[in-house]
Amino acid sequence: MVIVLDKNIRNEDKQRIKTFLEKNSLRVNEITGEEDTIFAAVGKVGIDPRDVEILPGVHSVIPITKAYKMASREFKKDNTVVNIRGVKIGGNRVTVIAGPCAVENREQIMESAARVAESGAVMLRGGAYKPRTSPYAFQGLGAEGVRFLREAGDAWGLPVACEIVSAEHIPEMLDYIDVYQIGARNMQNFELLKKVGALGKPVILKRGLSATIEEWLMAAEYLLSSGTEDVILCERGIRTYEKATRNTLDLSAIPVLRSLTHLPIIVDPSHAVGIRDKVPPMCLAAVAAGADGLIVEVHPTPDTALSDGAQSLYPVQFEKMMRDIEVLAPVVGREVSHRSIPRAGSIRGTTSITRKSGGTDTPLVCAYSGGRGAYAEQAIHRYYDDEAEALPLNNFREVIRAVLDGRAECGMLPIENSLAGSVYENYDNLARYDDIEIVGEATIRIEHSLLAVKGATLDTITSVYSHSQGLAQCDEFLARYPNWKHIETNSTSSAAKLVESEKDPTRAAIASDLAAPIYHLETLKAGIENSPRNYTRFVLIARTGEIICEAPNHASIIFTVANQPGALHSALGLFMKNGLNLTKLESRPIQGEPWRYVFYANMSLPEGVSSSVVAGERIRNALAEMQKMNQDAGVIQGVRILGIYSVKEIS
Ligand code: PEP
Ligand code: MN
């Protein structure tokens, strides 16, 4: 049962309730949610909820009706986010675990780790004890494989996941493995579940070959009730009559589980389809269906793999797939997890974002311009998985100042919108402040909603507030209400704030749906933007030299050209000669120098470079080469690299 405690319960009462439950042979977990604190109590013997209800400090008692208790949504309203050495599964992110089916030798796993890390995986998989159908097939390297896996993971900063097939192996795995995997064949090996659960470490629980969703959740219950809180469910295909694929991937399990359980859900399309070329489309489908992550088999040379070669991706296939996932993720409101390597003493990057100072963990502070509920705030929460503290400031310049004076470690600035074009002010800001640099980028889908106070309807509205962009991007919807007055505000969030303060059912704001609860407004209509393909690209800025961007594939520079005929033409030629693929060129007037311009150039990875790890170096070299050539030609003046960072393509 779930016991919701009174908001201002006294400590003695809390303790008394706990003791009462424990005396009745119930195990008690205290869960502090956003709104309430609850005791989740489970046990073999049932007690009468009325006996609990009458205890002082109890607000209400909700019996859990499902056979599985701790795994159920009734037990815990908020989604569980499992944190594996800084890599999170659950929340807003899509977390990709990749690696070979089995660790075959040291070289193979080292190479696998390098290739998957370069392409964006944040965790490494590899089996050391393989539950093979045939006793004559490769059974895995055992304890040696476990050690190789750890070494490879450490070399690339990847936590490691490894299947455990017998509790006997716990001693040789304990110091090496971050996430234990319970394989499909062992899903109902209850003795194994109890022993692994008791380790209190994260566990990936694969769905059994012919297990129903309820049986699967009951298996999760074994793990949870034995001592771990961190169970990740993994759909890996089930047996059906279909023979075209190895198993049938049950993607509907994702939304079904989402309502039944708070546990994170990942998908393993490799074992589901069993055919390499069918894996990437199913990975994309899983992300679209709301999976929190993927576990994918990738092998440096699948044709010589000792197990599951036919379903293992070539590294290039995996790389392409990761790029596709980057494109898809913002459409479904998610951000792909990334690794990043911190420079000593500076802030950590995107996968782990608390920094230790003075012995206490404090969240990273990321500044933005706008009020609570602004799209930039959404971008920060997406990028940092809700863990950074978003610092609202009045304007873009203040954001930069906050980064420079250390009030914030980084700042999120909008740079362009797919419908409205560039945010010129921020291009100018990037040029003006030469001790900041771009360290990352976030693209979010802009979905506007019409918000109003409780009781308002589309019929009561007569005026609509929003930022000019918000009004322009919803003009087709607004055209249906020709009598509405349009009133511009500084930002979409200030529009929402205004509507809240006026308490007038004739007013509405166009803003993000996320602003509704913040300003106590209701959504009259969601998705009112003209085009659903409406994205805003934000750049993440930090003080120069504070963050190392892992796996960069993109650079931004600014430059001016000599005032002579053909100078721009020749300058562009230098980019081409050095293999730099210009993806955007923007010009802005130089203040105080009429008719002279500064050019902003974005460029992607030089041609022919497939590994993004070397791309940063290549871009740097190409730029240096370009500058050398330029010494003779003299066409480019004042080049400054704004940042070399990782970019996700949106098409
Ligand atoms: C594996 O992940 O290598 C594996 C054996 O998977 P499953 O248990 O899903 O068959
Ligand atoms: Mn396998």
Side-chain angles (χ1 to χ4, degrees), residues 101 125 127 130-131 163 181-185 206-207 209 236 246 268 271 295 297 308:
C101 178
R125 63 149 288 150
K130 296 306 300 176
E163 177 167 355
Q181 181 178 311
I182 301 284
R185 288 155 198 81
K206 295 250 189 139
R207 181 176 184 177
L209 270 69
R236 47 78 71 205
R246 183 172 172 181
D268 168 358
H271 291 89
I295 180 162
E297 286 187 344
D308 285 349

Side-chain angles (χ1 to χ4, degrees), residues 98 111-124 152 155-158 318 339 550-551 612-613:
E111 176 67 10
S112 301
R115 304 307 299 267
V116 301
E118 280 175 4
S119 299
V122 288
M123 212 187 293
L124 182 66
W156 289 90
L158 306 172
F318 180 66
R339 287 181 318 138
E550 176 71 9
S612 52
V613 167

Side-chain angles (χ1 to χ4, degrees), residues 584-602:
K584 178 164 171 129
L585 192 62
E586 191 67 67
S587 69
R588 293 291 298 152
I590 301 176
Q591 286 183 14
E593 294 187 48
W595 325 128
R596 291 211 57 217
Y597 298 89
V598 59
F599 293 95
Y600 293 78
N602 277 2

